[in-house]
Amino acid sequence: MANTIHVDVVSAEEAIFSGEAEFVVLPGEAGELGIYPRHTPLITRIKPGTVRITPAGGGEEQLVFVAGGILEVQPKVITVLADTAIRGKDLDEAKATEALKQAEEARRTAKGAEALATAEASLAVAAAQIAAIRQLRRKKPIG
């Protein structure tokens, strides 16, 4: 498969995805990035959101939630080093909703700039996780 790129998505806990892909989309700090094989080399930070992987030879798009991290792109390899990564099918909406409520409460009661920044980071991660769950739900066939 000449027109593919190898993709590795890893977190500190485990390897989440490793395989060949035709296209990858992920949340860069400056906006959404779309990466095809033979992309120009790049290293950038990624923000909380969904990595969407179109596997080589077709098949179902793979979704992985990341809570931020680093992206390295080489012409034949994409490496996502995520702070936290969760397979789309393993996301738990109840836990994400509870985390969002806790982050909102922490932001309301934050005392000092550091506590406020920590609360806002937690809020961003929880909101991105809920958005990923909703995106995954839209992809599932109804019936």
Side-chain angles (χ1 to χ4, degrees):
M1 304 224 165
N3 206 18
T4 64
I5 190 164
H6 186 80
V7 180
D8 287 315
V9 180
V10 298
S11 71
E13 295 85 30
E14 65 181 317
I16 300 294
F17 179 90
S18 183
E20 296 298 310
E22 295 175 359
F23 184 57
V24 178
V25 178
L26 62 149
E29 276 199 326
E32 199 166 70
L33 296 165
I35 302 165
Y36 283 103
R38 295 184 297 281
H39 191 283
T40 302
L42 116 96
I43 295 177
T44 188
R45 290 173 48 156
I46 54 176
K47 52 184 203 175
T50 305
V51 177
R52 298 187 334 254
I53 303 165
T54 303
E60 186 177 336
E61 181 179 65
Q62 300 292 308
L63 298 178
V64 178
F65 171 78
V66 293
I70 302 291
L71 165 70
E72 179 184 21
V73 178
Q74 294 296 323
K76 296 181 180 183
V77 179
I78 297 171
T79 305
V80 177
L81 303 171
D83 297 335
T84 300
I86 305 169
R87 290 174 191 85
K89 64 184 172 93
D90 295 334
L91 290 170
D92 184 329
E93 188 168 11
K95 283 184 183 177
T97 301
E98 182 58 31
L100 182 67
K101 288 177 186 173
Q102 289 177 1
E104 288 170 341
E105 180 61 26
R107 183 174 65 176
R108 270 194 298 280
T109 61
K111 293 184 180 4
E114 186 176 332
L116 182 60
T118 300
E120 288 180 347
S122 296
L123 188 63
V125 169
Q129 193 170 3
I130 289 170
I133 291 166
R134 290 182 180 149
Q135 182 178 17
L136 183 63
R137 192 181 302 146
R138 283 193 303 270
K139 290 189 162 299
K140 289 186 178 175
I142 299 172

